[in-house]
Amino acid sequence: MKNSDQARLLTTRHEREFMYLRDLSARVGGDPLLVQASNGNTSIKLGGILWIKASGKWLAHAMQQEMFVPLDLAEVQESVQKGTNIGAHYALNDDLYPSIETAMHAVLRHRVVLHVHSINAIAWAVRMDGPDQLKERLDGLHWQWIPYAASGMPLAREIEKAVAPALETDVLILGNHGLVVCGPDCYTAETLLWDVERRLAIIPRRFPKPDATVLAMIARFSRWQFPDVDSLHALGTDAVSRKILKGGVLYPCQAIFLGPMMPLFPPALVLSKFINRLKGDGTTPPFVAVDGSGVMLREKMTSAERATLIGLVQVTQRTEESVRLRYLKEAEVTDLLSKGAHGYKEVIFMEENEFSDAWHH
Ligand SMILES: [Zn+2]
């Protein structure tokens, strides 16, 4: 998106709102309890144009980078009705592809739509009893629970169906996924976002301290390192977190960035059977959690994997053992991982590489 294009498409009044959206996006994107890496997306509808975050971009960088793609709203809505692919049709010259969630933003009538992977919202959104639990917490708000649907057209259709009889709906809890908050302007949407966050807040469980003995042995392999974020160790030291992760995949980003199987090992296995796997070949997981010991990270872990892992531990530390969880079904995980091949994940990897090149050279 060239600056001249932006100037052509925005009037002065619209430009102010657009700048507010960028500022808000950067603040929301900079909060690891709301957004991890490139997930989350924001949009505003101004004068018949839908400005939507580009796929793979990090909201946190919204003030430094151009990342909003202008789309003709009526055309996008028509694509949604016809079920045609939005991303391919609207790809711009400069490699900004509209977010995978563009259809969702288009079917919601509100001018401003904020979609975040709120840790607190996800901790409720993976619970079987989530809809019941939230009745009291979100009382008085126009909210709805949307059962899990794959990102893109399937999710947009579920949302469209759910809000049709209740157009005032401005809060959506997306099952096994996250949160959507809407408003007539950025200020109203932001105020509502913080209200919802306050209502959904859960205090994370404390966890036993890591035991460095086994971790130090893993650290001898040059490709592994101790995490610089202490809370990550909970995946190894906290029995409840381990049990939750053994159950399966809770939400899409977990499978996309950390794999469908969590690498949780008892100490004895780490030191014998798995020692070769830990040397760091192509199939090495981005992290390894050792029962009772803690967590080690692969040295070349990408920043997206790291952010996702930090988010995951925040979710498990907010989830109690007694709660029944709704894990993604095997077919849902397979579907997700096959989609990774067109667009979603490699855009992120491309950026990671650009980033590390810029960093190292
Ligand atoms: Zn999402």
Side-chain angles (χ1 to χ4, degrees), residues 17-55:
E17 286 192 79
F18 185 65
M19 279 311 291
Y20 192 145
L21 180 75
R22 285 182 66 177
D23 178 63
L24 170 58
S25 300
R27 282 184 285 118
V28 165
D31 184 343
L33 286 178
L34 292 177
V35 167
Q36 303 81 37
S38 63
N39 70 29
N41 33 72
T42 56
S43 73
I44 190 165
K45 300 174 184 84
L46 295 171
I49 292 172
L50 170 68
W51 295 85
I52 176 90
K53 194 207 78 157
S55 179

Short mmCIF file of all heavy atoms in Angstrom, two decimals, residues 17-55:
data_model
loop_
_atom_site.label_atom_id
_atom_site.label_comp_id
_atom_site.label_asym_id
_atom_site.label_seq_id
_atom_site.Cartn_x
_atom_site.Cartn_y
_atom_site.Cartn_z
N GLU A 17 -9.57 8.66 12.15
CA GLU A 17 -10.06 7.37 12.68
C GLU A 17 -9.11 6.23 12.31
O GLU A 17 -8.88 5.32 13.10
CB GLU A 17 -11.45 7.07 12.12
CG GLU A 17 -12.52 7.92 12.73
CD GLU A 17 -13.90 7.40 12.36
OE1 GLU A 17 -14.34 6.42 12.99
OE2 GLU A 17 -14.49 7.97 11.44
N PHE A 18 -8.60 6.32 11.10
CA PHE A 18 -7.68 5.29 10.64
C PHE A 18 -6.42 5.29 11.51
O PHE A 18 -5.91 4.24 11.90
CB PHE A 18 -7.33 5.54 9.17
CG PHE A 18 -6.47 4.47 8.56
CD1 PHE A 18 -6.93 3.18 8.41
CD2 PHE A 18 -5.18 4.78 8.13
CE1 PHE A 18 -6.13 2.20 7.84
CE2 PHE A 18 -4.38 3.80 7.57
CZ PHE A 18 -4.85 2.51 7.43
N MET A 19 -5.95 6.49 11.85
CA MET A 19 -4.76 6.59 12.71
C MET A 19 -5.06 6.04 14.11
O MET A 19 -4.21 5.42 14.74
CB MET A 19 -4.27 8.04 12.82
CG MET A 19 -3.44 8.49 11.64
SD MET A 19 -2.12 7.31 11.20
CE MET A 19 -1.03 7.52 12.62
N TYR A 20 -6.27 6.28 14.59
CA TYR A 20 -6.67 5.74 15.89
C TYR A 20 -6.62 4.21 15.83
O TYR A 20 -6.11 3.54 16.74
CB TYR A 20 -8.08 6.23 16.26
CG TYR A 20 -8.48 5.98 17.71
CD1 TYR A 20 -9.28 6.89 18.39
CD2 TYR A 20 -8.09 4.83 18.41
CE1 TYR A 20 -9.65 6.66 19.72
CE2 TYR A 20 -8.48 4.59 19.72
CZ TYR A 20 -9.26 5.51 20.37
OH TYR A 20 -9.65 5.28 21.66
N LEU A 21 -7.12 3.66 14.71
CA LEU A 21 -7.11 2.20 14.58
C LEU A 21 -5.68 1.67 14.60
O LEU A 21 -5.39 0.65 15.24
CB LEU A 21 -7.80 1.76 13.29
CG LEU A 21 -7.81 0.23 13.11
CD1 LEU A 21 -8.82 -0.43 14.03
CD2 LEU A 21 -8.07 -0.17 11.67
N ARG A 22 -4.79 2.37 13.91
CA ARG A 22 -3.38 1.91 13.90
C ARG A 22 -2.79 1.96 15.30
O ARG A 22 -2.11 1.03 15.73
CB ARG A 22 -2.55 2.77 12.94
CG ARG A 22 -2.81 2.46 11.49
CD ARG A 22 -1.95 3.27 10.57
NE ARG A 22 -0.52 2.96 10.70
CZ ARG A 22 0.43 3.52 9.96
NH1 ARG A 22 0.11 4.39 9.03
NH2 ARG A 22 1.70 3.20 10.13
N ASP A 23 -3.06 3.05 15.99
CA ASP A 23 -2.53 3.21 17.34
C ASP A 23 -3.12 2.14 18.27
O ASP A 23 -2.39 1.48 19.02
CB ASP A 23 -2.88 4.62 17.84
CG ASP A 23 -2.41 4.85 19.26
OD1 ASP A 23 -1.18 4.80 19.48
OD2 ASP A 23 -3.26 5.03 20.16
N LEU A 24 -4.42 1.95 18.17
CA LEU A 24 -5.09 0.94 19.00
C LEU A 24 -4.55 -0.46 18.66
O LEU A 24 -4.27 -1.27 19.55
CB LEU A 24 -6.60 1.01 18.75
CG LEU A 24 -7.48 -0.10 19.32
CD1 LEU A 24 -7.33 -0.20 20.84
CD2 LEU A 24 -8.96 0.15 18.96
N SER A 25 -4.37 -0.73 17.36
CA SER A 25 -3.87 -2.04 16.94
C SER A 25 -2.48 -2.30 17.52
O SER A 25 -2.18 -3.41 17.98
CB SER A 25 -3.78 -2.10 15.41
OG SER A 25 -5.06 -1.91 14.85
N ALA A 26 -1.64 -1.27 17.51
CA ALA A 26 -0.28 -1.43 18.03
C ALA A 26 -0.32 -1.71 19.54
O ALA A 26 0.42 -2.56 20.04
CB ALA A 26 0.54 -0.18 17.75
N ARG A 27 -1.20 -1.01 20.25
CA ARG A 27 -1.28 -1.23 21.70
C ARG A 27 -1.83 -2.62 22.01
O ARG A 27 -1.30 -3.34 22.86
CB ARG A 27 -2.15 -0.15 22.35
CG ARG A 27 -1.39 1.17 22.49
CD ARG A 27 -2.19 2.23 23.21
NE ARG A 27 -3.24 2.80 22.38
CZ ARG A 27 -4.53 2.74 22.64
NH1 ARG A 27 -4.95 2.10 23.72
NH2 ARG A 27 -5.42 3.28 21.84
N VAL A 28 -2.89 -3.00 21.32
CA VAL A 28 -3.48 -4.33 21.53
C VAL A 28 -2.46 -5.40 21.14
O VAL A 28 -2.24 -6.38 21.86
CB VAL A 28 -4.78 -4.46 20.69
CG1 VAL A 28 -5.22 -5.89 20.58
CG2 VAL A 28 -5.88 -3.60 21.31
N GLY A 29 -1.78 -5.18 20.01
CA GLY A 29 -0.81 -6.14 19.52
C GLY A 29 0.40 -6.27 20.42
O GLY A 29 1.09 -7.30 20.42
N GLY A 30 0.68 -5.24 21.21
CA GLY A 30 1.82 -5.27 22.10
C GLY A 30 1.51 -5.93 23.44
O GLY A 30 2.39 -6.06 24.29
N ASP A 31 0.26 -6.35 23.63
CA ASP A 31 -0.13 -6.97 24.90
C ASP A 31 -0.19 -8.49 24.70
O ASP A 31 -1.10 -9.00 24.05
CB ASP A 31 -1.51 -6.43 25.31
CG ASP A 31 -1.95 -6.95 26.66
OD1 ASP A 31 -1.37 -7.96 27.14
OD2 ASP A 31 -2.88 -6.37 27.25
N PRO A 32 0.77 -9.22 25.28
CA PRO A 32 0.80 -10.67 25.04
C PRO A 32 -0.42 -11.41 25.60
O PRO A 32 -0.65 -12.56 25.25
CB PRO A 32 2.09 -11.13 25.75
CG PRO A 32 2.48 -10.03 26.67
CD PRO A 32 1.87 -8.76 26.14
N LEU A 33 -1.20 -10.75 26.43
CA LEU A 33 -2.43 -11.38 26.91
C LEU A 33 -3.57 -11.23 25.88
O LEU A 33 -4.65 -11.77 26.06
CB LEU A 33 -2.87 -10.81 28.25
CG LEU A 33 -2.03 -11.25 29.46
CD1 LEU A 33 -2.54 -10.57 30.74
CD2 LEU A 33 -2.05 -12.77 29.64
N LEU A 34 -3.32 -10.45 24.83
CA LEU A 34 -4.35 -10.26 23.81
C LEU A 34 -3.95 -10.82 22.44
O LEU A 34 -4.78 -11.34 21.70
CB LEU A 34 -4.66 -8.76 23.64
CG LEU A 34 -5.37 -8.09 24.82
CD1 LEU A 34 -5.54 -6.60 24.53
CD2 LEU A 34 -6.73 -8.72 25.08
N VAL A 35 -2.68 -10.65 22.09
CA VAL A 35 -2.22 -11.04 20.75
C VAL A 35 -0.86 -11.71 20.90
O VAL A 35 -0.02 -11.25 21.67
CB VAL A 35 -2.10 -9.79 19.85
CG1 VAL A 35 -1.34 -10.11 18.58
CG2 VAL A 35 -3.47 -9.23 19.52
N GLN A 36 -0.66 -12.79 20.15
CA GLN A 36 0.64 -13.45 20.15
C GLN A 36 1.14 -13.50 18.70
O GLN A 36 0.45 -14.01 17.83
CB GLN A 36 0.55 -14.86 20.73
CG GLN A 36 -0.01 -14.92 22.16
CD GLN A 36 -1.54 -14.84 22.19
OE1 GLN A 36 -2.21 -15.39 21.34
NE2 GLN A 36 -2.09 -14.15 23.18
N ALA A 37 2.27 -12.92 18.47
CA ALA A 37 2.87 -12.88 17.12
C ALA A 37 1.90 -12.25 16.11
O ALA A 37 1.35 -11.20 16.38
CB ALA A 37 3.32 -14.29 16.70
N SER A 38 1.67 -12.95 15.00
CA SER A 38 0.89 -12.32 13.93
C SER A 38 -0.61 -12.60 14.05
O SER A 38 -1.38 -12.25 13.16
CB SER A 38 1.38 -12.81 12.58
OG SER A 38 1.17 -14.21 12.50
N ASN A 39 -1.03 -13.24 15.14
CA ASN A 39 -2.47 -13.52 15.21
C ASN A 39 -3.23 -12.27 15.64
O ASN A 39 -2.66 -11.24 15.97
CB ASN A 39 -2.77 -14.75 16.09
CG ASN A 39 -2.51 -14.53 17.58
OD1 ASN A 39 -2.62 -13.41 18.09
ND2 ASN A 39 -2.16 -15.59 18.28
N GLY A 40 -4.54 -12.34 15.61
CA GLY A 40 -5.36 -11.17 15.90
C GLY A 40 -5.44 -10.30 14.65
O GLY A 40 -4.49 -10.27 13.85
N ASN A 41 -6.56 -9.66 14.46
CA ASN A 41 -6.68 -8.73 13.34
C ASN A 41 -7.73 -7.68 13.64
O ASN A 41 -8.66 -7.91 14.39
CB ASN A 41 -6.97 -9.47 12.02
CG ASN A 41 -7.80 -10.70 12.22
OD1 ASN A 41 -8.99 -10.60 12.50
ND2 ASN A 41 -7.19 -11.88 12.13
N THR A 42 -7.53 -6.50 13.07
CA THR A 42 -8.43 -5.38 13.32
C THR A 42 -8.87 -4.82 11.97
O THR A 42 -8.19 -5.01 10.96
CB THR A 42 -7.72 -4.28 14.11
OG1 THR A 42 -6.54 -3.89 13.40
CG2 THR A 42 -7.30 -4.76 15.49
N SER A 43 -10.02 -4.13 11.99
CA SER A 43 -10.48 -3.53 10.73
C SER A 43 -11.37 -2.33 11.02
O SER A 43 -11.91 -2.18 12.12
CB SER A 43 -11.28 -4.55 9.90
OG SER A 43 -12.55 -4.78 10.49
N ILE A 44 -11.49 -1.48 10.00
CA ILE A 44 -12.43 -0.36 10.07
C ILE A 44 -13.06 -0.20 8.69
O ILE A 44 -12.40 -0.41 7.66
CB ILE A 44 -11.72 0.92 10.55
CG1 ILE A 44 -12.74 2.02 10.85
CG2 ILE A 44 -10.66 1.41 9.55
CD1 ILE A 44 -12.17 3.18 11.67
N LYS A 45 -14.35 0.15 8.70
CA LYS A 45 -15.07 0.38 7.44
C LYS A 45 -15.24 1.89 7.28
O LYS A 45 -15.91 2.53 8.09
CB LYS A 45 -16.42 -0.33 7.47
CG LYS A 45 -16.31 -1.84 7.67
CD LYS A 45 -17.66 -2.52 7.83
CE LYS A 45 -17.52 -4.01 8.13
NZ LYS A 45 -17.29 -4.33 9.55
N LEU A 46 -14.62 2.45 6.28
CA LEU A 46 -14.65 3.90 6.07
C LEU A 46 -15.04 4.19 4.63
O LEU A 46 -14.32 3.79 3.70
CB LEU A 46 -13.28 4.51 6.36
CG LEU A 46 -12.75 4.45 7.81
CD1 LEU A 46 -11.30 4.90 7.88
CD2 LEU A 46 -13.61 5.31 8.73
N GLY A 47 -16.18 4.85 4.45
CA GLY A 47 -16.59 5.25 3.10
C GLY A 47 -16.64 4.11 2.11
O GLY A 47 -16.12 4.23 1.00
N GLY A 48 -17.21 2.99 2.50
CA GLY A 48 -17.36 1.86 1.57
C GLY A 48 -16.10 1.02 1.41
O GLY A 48 -16.06 0.08 0.64
N ILE A 49 -15.04 1.40 2.17
CA ILE A 49 -13.80 0.62 2.09
C ILE A 49 -13.56 -0.10 3.41
O ILE A 49 -13.69 0.50 4.48
CB ILE A 49 -12.61 1.53 1.75
CG1 ILE A 49 -12.77 2.05 0.32
CG2 ILE A 49 -11.28 0.77 1.88
CD1 ILE A 49 -11.78 3.09 -0.07
N LEU A 50 -13.25 -1.38 3.29
CA LEU A 50 -12.88 -2.15 4.47
C LEU A 50 -11.36 -2.17 4.56
O LEU A 50 -10.69 -2.69 3.67
CB LEU A 50 -13.42 -3.59 4.35
CG LEU A 50 -12.92 -4.61 5.39
CD1 LEU A 50 -13.48 -4.30 6.78
CD2 LEU A 50 -13.31 -6.03 4.98
N TRP A 51 -10.83 -1.57 5.63
CA TRP A 51 -9.38 -1.61 5.87
C TRP A 51 -9.12 -2.75 6.83
O TRP A 51 -9.55 -2.70 7.98
CB TRP A 51 -8.90 -0.29 6.49
CG TRP A 51 -9.05 0.89 5.57
CD1 TRP A 51 -10.17 1.65 5.40
CD2 TRP A 51 -8.04 1.44 4.71
NE1 TRP A 51 -9.91 2.64 4.47
CE2 TRP A 51 -8.62 2.55 4.04
CE3 TRP A 51 -6.70 1.12 4.45
CZ2 TRP A 51 -7.90 3.32 3.12
CZ3 TRP A 51 -6.00 1.89 3.54
CH2 TRP A 51 -6.60 2.98 2.89
N ILE A 52 -8.42 -3.75 6.35
CA ILE A 52 -8.21 -4.96 7.16
C ILE A 52 -6.72 -5.26 7.28
O ILE A 52 -5.98 -5.08 6.32
CB ILE A 52 -8.98 -6.16 6.55
CG1 ILE A 52 -8.71 -7.47 7.29
CG2 ILE A 52 -8.62 -6.39 5.08
CD1 ILE A 52 -9.65 -7.75 8.41
N LYS A 53 -6.34 -5.73 8.45
CA LYS A 53 -4.93 -6.07 8.66
C LYS A 53 -4.48 -7.13 7.65
O LYS A 53 -5.25 -8.03 7.33
CB LYS A 53 -4.72 -6.62 10.07
CG LYS A 53 -3.25 -6.68 10.45
CD LYS A 53 -2.95 -7.75 11.49
CE LYS A 53 -2.90 -9.12 10.85
NZ LYS A 53 -2.13 -10.12 11.63
N ALA A 54 -3.26 -7.00 7.17
CA ALA A 54 -2.73 -7.96 6.22
C ALA A 54 -2.31 -9.24 6.94
O ALA A 54 -1.88 -9.21 8.10
CB ALA A 54 -1.54 -7.37 5.47
N SER A 55 -2.43 -10.34 6.24
CA SER A 55 -2.04 -11.64 6.76
C SER A 55 -0.55 -11.67 7.11
O SER A 55 0.27 -11.11 6.38
CB SER A 55 -2.33 -12.68 5.67
OG SER A 55 -1.96 -13.94 6.09
#
